[in-house]
Amino acid sequence: MAGRPKLYEVLLTQGAEQDLESIHDYISEFDSVANANYVLDRLMEVAEGLAQFPERGSYPKELGALGIKDYRQTAFKPYRVIYRVLGSQVVIYLIVDGRRDMQSVLARRLLGA
């Protein structure tokens, strides 16, 4: 009988929490609160899903081009969730609309540029 998969603790950085709040505020203002709540719920499902299989995420191509393989990503399109697996924890650093200039967003938020 196969054992249950290991569960990871999923943590959001303060920046990721602010990202969720900003996304919700933007959709509420320019669309509707109902749609903002829907997107927020789906993004939280994506984040919580990382507790079981964090390695399933791909490497962000913008970071891969720099030889950086520390971060992974998953998505609820068009939003990208950027995270790292650190021991038994999954730390989410960034939740962003993938249509933005990802090179500059990643450099600023993850690389401190």
Side-chain angles (χ1 to χ4, degrees), residues 1-5:
M1 186 159 112
R4 291 176 37 172

Side-chain angles (χ1 to χ4, degrees), residues 3-111:
R4 291 176 37 172
K6 173 182 175 183
L7 288 181
Y8 291 76
E9 179 182 18
V10 178
L11 304 171
L12 277 78
T13 63
Q14 183 176 356
E17 288 178 2
Q18 290 171 345
D19 292 339
L20 286 173
E21 189 174 314
S22 295
I23 290 166
H24 188 273
D25 290 348
Y26 181 86
I27 296 171
S28 293
E29 182 177 345
F30 293 100
D31 191 350
S32 70
V33 172
N35 283 342
N37 290 339
Y38 173 80
V39 169
L40 184 64
D41 289 345
R42 296 300 80 74
L43 286 169
M44 290 307 299
E45 286 175 6
V46 166
E48 291 163 4
L50 294 171
Q52 285 191 321
F53 301 108
E55 295 87 5
R56 73 171 178 234
S58 63
Y59 298 110
K61 65 181 183 294
E62 298 86 356
L63 295 175
L66 300 172
I68 299 171
K69 301 277 189 191
D70 297 333
Y71 297 90
R72 292 182 177 266
Q73 69 179 358
T74 189
F76 172 68
K77 293 203 181 239
Y79 301 99
R80 291 168 64 181
V81 177
I82 311 293
Y83 64 95
R84 284 177 80 179
V85 179
L86 300 170
S88 64
Q89 295 180 327
V90 175
V91 180
I92 297 174
Y93 290 92
L94 180 65
I95 302 170
V96 64
D97 187 324
R99 298 170 290 192
R100 293 182 57 191
D101 175 9
M102 290 302 294
Q103 196 73 36
S104 64
V105 171
L106 292 170
R108 185 172 60 252
R109 290 280 295 277
L110 301 179
L111 307 176

